[in-house]
Amino acid sequence: MAKPLTKNQIIKKLSEQTGVSSKDVKNVLNCLNEMAIKEVKSNGQFRICDLGKLKLRKREARMMRNPQTGKQMKVPAKKVVKFTVAKSVKEKIAK
């Protein structure tokens, strides 16, 4: 399996495909990133049409066992972000 694209590689490809400067593409990606963070914090989710959705979930407190010592430990409740891929993307990848 090939390595995933780096941020700079994504910027370069988008710049080449759209004819927009790399600097502008980088600014758009940074703005999209900031917007996603703000929306997930305030609304609990952020959807990118035809790609997927970031959703804030609450993970309950739970007990776990340390595999090295065997000692039981309590893991506190926390918030986690989940990404759900859009159905159209799943279908295109499966083809």
Side-chain angles (χ1 to χ4, degrees), residues 48-53 83-89:
I48 302 173
C49 295
D50 299 328
L51 185 61
K53 179 172 35 175
F83 183 77
T84 306
V85 179
K87 184 179 177 182
S88 61
V89 174

Side-chain angles (χ1 to χ4, degrees), residues 39-93:
E39 286 296 313
V40 170
K41 277 186 169 183
S42 64
N43 298 329
Q45 66 180 7
F46 179 74
R47 193 174 96 187
I48 302 173
C49 295
D50 299 328
L51 185 61
K53 179 172 35 175
L54 290 169
K55 191 171 185 179
L56 187 64
R57 291 230 164 123
K58 293 180 184 176
R59 186 175 285 170
E60 299 295 325
R62 60 191 167 90
M63 295 299 291
M64 69 164 278
R65 187 180 65 83
N66 182 332
Q68 291 181 344
T69 63
K71 182 180 175 185
Q72 289 286 327
M73 301 170 54
K74 183 174 182 178
V75 179
K78 63 181 179 179
K79 295 177 184 177
V80 294
V81 178
K82 299 283 186 175
F83 183 77
T84 306
V85 179
K87 184 179 177 182
S88 61
V89 174
K90 288 181 186 178
E91 291 171 353
K92 289 177 185 177
I93 292 173

